[in-house]
Short mmCIF file of all heavy atoms in Angstrom, two decimals:
data_model
loop_
_atom_site.label_atom_id
_atom_site.label_comp_id
_atom_site.label_asym_id
_atom_site.label_seq_id
_atom_site.Cartn_x
_atom_site.Cartn_y
_atom_site.Cartn_z
N TYR S 104 95.16 91.18 92.08
CA TYR S 104 94.91 92.36 92.86
C TYR S 104 95.76 92.37 94.16
O TYR S 104 95.75 91.35 94.92
CB TYR S 104 93.38 92.36 93.33
CG TYR S 104 92.95 93.35 94.38
CD1 TYR S 104 92.73 94.70 94.09
CD2 TYR S 104 92.96 93.05 95.72
CE1 TYR S 104 92.26 95.64 95.00
CE2 TYR S 104 92.59 94.01 96.70
CZ TYR S 104 92.26 95.28 96.40
OH TYR S 104 91.87 96.19 97.28
N GLY S 106 96.40 93.73 97.79
CA GLY S 106 95.72 94.46 98.79
C GLY S 106 96.67 95.02 99.83
O GLY S 106 97.84 94.91 99.77
N THR S 107 96.06 95.61 100.83
CA THR S 107 96.81 96.23 101.96
C THR S 107 97.75 95.26 102.64
O THR S 107 98.81 95.61 103.15
CB THR S 107 95.84 96.88 102.98
OG1 THR S 107 94.86 97.66 102.31
CG2 THR S 107 96.53 97.74 104.00
N GLY S 108 97.22 93.95 102.79
CA GLY S 108 98.01 92.91 103.47
C GLY S 108 99.29 92.52 102.66
O GLY S 108 100.07 91.82 103.20
N SER S 112 104.46 92.12 102.99
CA SER S 112 104.86 90.76 102.87
C SER S 112 105.91 90.76 101.74
O SER S 112 105.60 90.62 100.58
CB SER S 112 103.66 89.84 102.41
OG SER S 112 104.01 88.59 102.27
N THR S 134 95.20 98.37 95.79
CA THR S 134 94.38 99.32 96.57
C THR S 134 94.72 100.72 96.11
O THR S 134 93.83 101.67 96.39
CB THR S 134 94.71 99.14 98.03
OG1 THR S 134 96.11 99.19 98.18
CG2 THR S 134 94.13 97.94 98.67
N ILE S 137 92.12 102.69 94.56
CA ILE S 137 90.91 103.04 95.30
C ILE S 137 91.33 103.67 96.58
O ILE S 137 90.70 103.45 97.65
CB ILE S 137 89.93 101.70 95.50
CG1 ILE S 137 90.89 100.54 95.96
CG2 ILE S 137 89.28 101.39 94.21
CD1 ILE S 137 90.07 99.38 96.47
N ASP S 138 92.36 104.42 96.56
CA ASP S 138 92.95 105.01 97.79
C ASP S 138 93.45 106.46 97.43
O ASP S 138 92.65 107.34 97.31
CB ASP S 138 94.04 104.04 98.24
CG ASP S 138 94.81 104.49 99.47
OD1 ASP S 138 94.83 105.67 99.75
OD2 ASP S 138 95.37 103.65 100.22
N MET S 306 89.62 111.00 98.19
CA MET S 306 88.44 110.11 98.19
C MET S 306 87.17 110.93 97.85
O MET S 306 86.06 110.35 97.69
CB MET S 306 88.24 109.38 99.46
CG MET S 306 89.28 108.31 99.58
SD MET S 306 88.96 107.25 100.97
CE MET S 306 90.23 106.00 100.65
N PHE S 397 95.72 88.93 96.52
CA PHE S 397 96.82 88.84 97.47
C PHE S 397 96.72 89.84 98.62
O PHE S 397 96.87 91.02 98.35
CB PHE S 397 98.21 88.92 96.67
CG PHE S 397 99.47 88.93 97.50
CD1 PHE S 397 99.46 88.46 98.78
CD2 PHE S 397 100.58 89.49 96.98
CE1 PHE S 397 100.68 88.51 99.52
CE2 PHE S 397 101.83 89.51 97.72
CZ PHE S 397 101.85 89.06 98.98
N GLY S 398 96.35 89.44 99.76
CA GLY S 398 96.23 90.27 100.93
C GLY S 398 95.24 91.38 100.77
O GLY S 398 95.60 92.50 101.14
N GLY S 399 94.13 91.16 100.25
CA GLY S 399 93.11 92.18 100.04
C GLY S 399 91.71 91.66 100.24
O GLY S 399 91.48 90.41 100.41
N ASN S 400 90.84 92.60 100.26
CA ASN S 400 89.39 92.24 100.43
C ASN S 400 88.60 93.12 99.38
O ASN S 400 87.80 93.97 99.73
CB ASN S 400 88.92 92.55 101.86
CG ASN S 400 87.54 91.95 102.13
OD1 ASN S 400 86.93 91.32 101.28
ND2 ASN S 400 87.03 92.20 103.39
N PRO S 401 88.94 92.98 98.06
CA PRO S 401 88.47 93.92 97.08
C PRO S 401 86.96 93.97 96.89
O PRO S 401 86.46 95.00 96.58
CB PRO S 401 89.06 93.48 95.75
CG PRO S 401 89.47 92.05 96.00
CD PRO S 401 89.82 91.85 97.45
N GLY S 404 86.33 96.48 99.48
CA GLY S 404 87.13 97.67 99.20
C GLY S 404 86.59 98.53 98.00
O GLY S 404 86.62 99.69 97.99
N LEU S 405 86.05 97.75 97.00
CA LEU S 405 85.52 98.45 95.83
C LEU S 405 84.22 99.22 96.03
O LEU S 405 83.98 100.24 95.44
CB LEU S 405 85.18 97.48 94.76
CG LEU S 405 86.37 97.01 93.87
CD1 LEU S 405 86.03 95.71 93.16
CD2 LEU S 405 86.65 98.16 92.84
N LEU S 424 94.64 84.67 98.62
CA LEU S 424 95.81 84.41 99.55
C LEU S 424 95.56 85.24 100.77
O LEU S 424 95.73 86.45 100.78
CB LEU S 424 97.11 84.87 98.95
CG LEU S 424 97.91 83.95 97.99
CD1 LEU S 424 96.99 83.55 96.80
CD2 LEU S 424 99.15 84.57 97.54
N ASP S 425 95.13 84.65 101.86
CA ASP S 425 94.76 85.42 103.10
C ASP S 425 94.75 84.49 104.32
O ASP S 425 94.41 83.36 104.25
CB ASP S 425 93.43 86.06 102.84
CG ASP S 425 93.32 87.35 103.62
OD1 ASP S 425 93.25 87.35 104.86
OD2 ASP S 425 93.31 88.42 102.86
N PRO S 426 95.08 85.08 105.41
CA PRO S 426 94.95 84.27 106.67
C PRO S 426 93.54 84.40 107.28
O PRO S 426 93.21 83.88 108.33
CB PRO S 426 95.91 84.93 107.58
CG PRO S 426 95.99 86.39 107.18
CD PRO S 426 95.78 86.34 105.70
N ARG S 427 92.64 85.24 106.59
CA ARG S 427 91.28 85.42 107.06
C ARG S 427 90.29 84.98 106.03
O ARG S 427 90.53 85.25 104.85
CB ARG S 427 90.99 86.95 107.43
CG ARG S 427 91.71 87.43 108.63
CD ARG S 427 91.34 88.85 108.96
NE ARG S 427 91.99 89.30 110.14
CZ ARG S 427 93.25 89.79 110.22
NH1 ARG S 427 94.00 89.82 109.19
NH2 ARG S 427 93.71 90.22 111.36
N ASN S 429 87.78 86.44 104.58
CA ASN S 429 87.11 87.66 104.53
C ASN S 429 85.96 87.53 103.42
O ASN S 429 85.74 86.49 102.85
CB ASN S 429 88.16 88.76 104.17
CG ASN S 429 88.91 88.61 102.83
OD1 ASN S 429 88.30 88.00 101.97
ND2 ASN S 429 89.96 89.22 102.80
N THR S 441 97.76 81.69 104.20
CA THR S 441 99.12 82.02 104.22
C THR S 441 99.65 82.47 105.64
O THR S 441 98.87 82.72 106.45
CB THR S 441 99.42 83.12 103.18
OG1 THR S 441 98.72 84.27 103.51
CG2 THR S 441 99.18 82.70 101.76
N SER S 442 101.00 82.41 105.71
CA SER S 442 101.58 82.64 107.02
C SER S 442 101.43 84.05 107.48
O SER S 442 101.13 84.95 106.65
CB SER S 442 103.07 82.25 106.96
OG SER S 442 103.70 83.02 105.93
N GLN S 443 101.67 84.32 108.68
CA GLN S 443 101.64 85.59 109.37
C GLN S 443 103.02 86.13 109.65
O GLN S 443 103.99 85.26 109.72
CB GLN S 443 100.77 85.56 110.65
CG GLN S 443 99.30 85.67 110.36
CD GLN S 443 98.94 87.04 109.79
OE1 GLN S 443 98.84 88.02 110.55
NE2 GLN S 443 98.89 87.10 108.50
N PRO S 444 103.19 87.45 109.74
CA PRO S 444 104.61 87.99 109.78
C PRO S 444 105.60 87.29 110.76
O PRO S 444 106.72 87.11 110.39
CB PRO S 444 104.28 89.44 110.36
CG PRO S 444 102.96 89.79 109.73
CD PRO S 444 102.18 88.42 109.79
N ARG S 447 107.51 84.20 109.22
CA ARG S 447 108.18 84.38 107.91
C ARG S 447 109.32 85.35 107.97
O ARG S 447 109.58 86.02 108.99
CB ARG S 447 107.16 84.73 106.80
CG ARG S 447 106.60 86.08 106.98
CD ARG S 447 105.68 86.49 105.75
NE ARG S 447 105.53 87.90 105.84
CZ ARG S 447 104.33 88.46 105.86
NH1 ARG S 447 103.28 87.75 105.83
NH2 ARG S 447 104.15 89.83 105.95
N ASP S 479 103.36 83.57 101.59
CA ASP S 479 102.84 84.26 100.27
C ASP S 479 103.71 84.02 99.14
O ASP S 479 103.24 83.75 98.04
CB ASP S 479 102.62 85.78 100.59
CG ASP S 479 101.59 86.08 101.56
OD1 ASP S 479 100.53 85.52 101.47
OD2 ASP S 479 101.82 86.85 102.50
N CYS S 596 84.96 109.63 105.19
CA CYS S 596 85.79 108.44 105.61
C CYS S 596 86.49 108.78 106.93
O CYS S 596 86.71 109.87 107.31
CB CYS S 596 86.83 108.10 104.56
SG CYS S 596 88.06 109.49 104.25
N ARG S 598 89.26 106.48 109.94
CA ARG S 598 89.97 105.22 110.31
C ARG S 598 89.94 105.08 111.85
O ARG S 598 89.98 106.11 112.52
CB ARG S 598 91.26 105.08 109.69
CG ARG S 598 91.21 104.63 108.30
CD ARG S 598 92.38 104.85 107.44
NE ARG S 598 92.20 104.22 106.11
CZ ARG S 598 91.42 104.75 105.23
NH1 ARG S 598 90.85 105.82 105.46
NH2 ARG S 598 91.19 104.18 104.11
N MET S 603 92.69 97.62 110.83
CA MET S 603 93.37 98.03 109.55
C MET S 603 92.44 97.63 108.50
O MET S 603 92.39 96.51 108.04
CB MET S 603 94.70 97.23 109.52
CG MET S 603 95.58 97.58 108.35
SD MET S 603 96.33 99.20 108.72
CE MET S 603 97.14 99.43 107.21
N ASN S 604 91.59 98.60 108.00
CA ASN S 604 90.61 98.35 107.00
C ASN S 604 89.80 97.17 107.64
O ASN S 604 89.35 97.20 108.69
CB ASN S 604 91.09 98.08 105.62
CG ASN S 604 91.95 99.25 105.10
OD1 ASN S 604 91.57 100.41 105.42
ND2 ASN S 604 92.96 99.01 104.34
N SER S 605 89.61 96.05 106.88
CA SER S 605 88.76 94.91 107.33
C SER S 605 89.54 94.05 108.28
O SER S 605 88.95 93.11 108.86
CB SER S 605 88.07 94.19 106.25
OG SER S 605 88.96 93.39 105.43
N ALA S 606 90.82 94.15 108.33
CA ALA S 606 91.60 93.25 109.30
C ALA S 606 91.56 93.83 110.70
O ALA S 606 91.56 95.01 110.95
CB ALA S 606 93.10 93.15 108.80
N HIS S 668 85.01 102.50 107.04
CA HIS S 668 84.70 101.66 106.03
C HIS S 668 84.92 100.13 106.32
O HIS S 668 85.57 99.76 107.23
CB HIS S 668 85.45 102.04 104.79
CG HIS S 668 86.91 102.01 104.93
ND1 HIS S 668 87.53 102.88 105.96
CD2 HIS S 668 87.86 101.20 104.38
CE1 HIS S 668 88.76 102.53 105.86
NE2 HIS S 668 89.05 101.53 104.98
N LEU S 669 84.44 99.28 105.46
CA LEU S 669 84.79 97.87 105.48
C LEU S 669 84.25 97.17 106.69
O LEU S 669 84.81 96.14 107.14
CB LEU S 669 86.20 97.55 105.14
CG LEU S 669 86.88 98.04 103.84
CD1 LEU S 669 88.10 97.25 103.55
CD2 LEU S 669 85.89 98.04 102.66
N THR S 687 79.65 100.83 104.42
CA THR S 687 79.47 102.08 103.76
C THR S 687 79.65 102.00 102.25
O THR S 687 79.14 102.90 101.51
CB THR S 687 80.33 103.14 104.31
OG1 THR S 687 81.71 102.70 104.19
CG2 THR S 687 80.08 103.45 105.86
N GLY S 688 80.38 101.03 101.82
CA GLY S 688 80.59 100.87 100.32
C GLY S 688 79.33 100.72 99.57
O GLY S 688 79.27 101.03 98.37
N THR S 691 78.13 103.79 97.60
CA THR S 691 79.02 104.19 96.48
C THR S 691 78.79 103.39 95.26
O THR S 691 78.39 102.30 95.29
CB THR S 691 80.49 104.02 96.86
OG1 THR S 691 80.72 104.70 98.09
CG2 THR S 691 81.47 104.51 95.83
N PHE S 706 84.46 107.92 97.85
CA PHE S 706 84.37 107.20 99.16
C PHE S 706 84.20 108.19 100.24
O PHE S 706 84.02 107.89 101.43
CB PHE S 706 85.67 106.36 99.46
CG PHE S 706 85.77 105.11 98.60
CD1 PHE S 706 87.03 104.65 98.21
CD2 PHE S 706 84.63 104.40 98.16
CE1 PHE S 706 87.13 103.46 97.55
CE2 PHE S 706 84.75 103.34 97.36
CZ PHE S 706 86.03 102.79 97.07
N1 LIG Q 2 83.66 103.09 101.24
C1 LIG Q 2 85.00 103.10 101.42
N2 LIG Q 2 85.67 102.20 100.65
C2 LIG Q 2 87.02 102.15 100.82
C3 LIG Q 2 87.73 103.01 101.58
C4 LIG Q 2 87.01 103.94 102.30
O1 LIG Q 2 87.54 104.86 103.04
N3 LIG Q 2 85.62 103.99 102.15
N4 LIG Q 2 89.13 102.94 101.59
C5 LIG Q 2 89.84 102.28 100.53
C6 LIG Q 2 91.24 102.04 100.87
S1 LIG Q 2 92.27 103.36 101.33
C7 LIG Q 2 91.79 100.82 100.82
S2 LIG Q 2 93.43 100.62 101.04
C8 LIG Q 2 90.94 99.62 100.54
C9 LIG Q 2 91.32 98.42 101.34
O2 LIG Q 2 91.14 97.38 100.53
P1 LIG Q 2 91.81 95.99 100.74
O3 LIG Q 2 93.33 96.03 100.93
O4 LIG Q 2 91.33 95.16 99.64
O5 LIG Q 2 91.18 95.43 102.13
P2 LIG Q 2 91.73 95.07 103.51
O6 LIG Q 2 90.59 94.96 104.41
O7 LIG Q 2 92.83 95.99 103.92
O8 LIG Q 2 92.36 93.63 103.22
C10 LIG Q 2 93.56 93.23 103.66
C11 LIG Q 2 93.57 91.75 103.74
O9 LIG Q 2 94.91 91.29 103.87
C12 LIG Q 2 95.01 90.23 104.80
N5 LIG Q 2 96.45 90.22 105.29
C13 LIG Q 2 96.97 90.83 106.33
N6 LIG Q 2 98.31 90.47 106.33
C14 LIG Q 2 98.53 89.60 105.38
C15 LIG Q 2 99.70 88.92 104.93
O10 LIG Q 2 100.76 89.06 105.47
N7 LIG Q 2 99.54 88.09 103.83
C16 LIG Q 2 98.34 87.96 103.16
N8 LIG Q 2 98.22 87.16 102.14
N9 LIG Q 2 97.22 88.64 103.63
C17 LIG Q 2 97.30 89.39 104.67
C18 LIG Q 2 93.99 90.52 105.84
O11 LIG Q 2 93.63 89.40 106.47
C19 LIG Q 2 92.85 91.24 105.02
O12 LIG Q 2 91.91 90.20 104.70
O13 LIG Q 2 89.49 99.97 100.65
C20 LIG Q 2 89.15 101.11 99.99
N10 LIG Q 2 87.70 101.20 100.04
#
Side-chain angles (χ1 to χ4, degrees):
Y104 171 84
T107 310
S112 181
T134 50
I137 47 169
D138 176 337
M306 290 189 171
F397 172 20
N400 192 2
L405 274 163
L424 273 59
D425 210 288
R427 289 181 177 84
N429 65 25
T441 58
S442 57
Q443 277 292 282
R447 65 174 193 237
D479 290 314
C596 61
R598 280 164 174 74
M603 184 72 184
N604 302 325
S605 70
H668 57 298
L669 304 201
T687 58
T691 300
F706 290 150

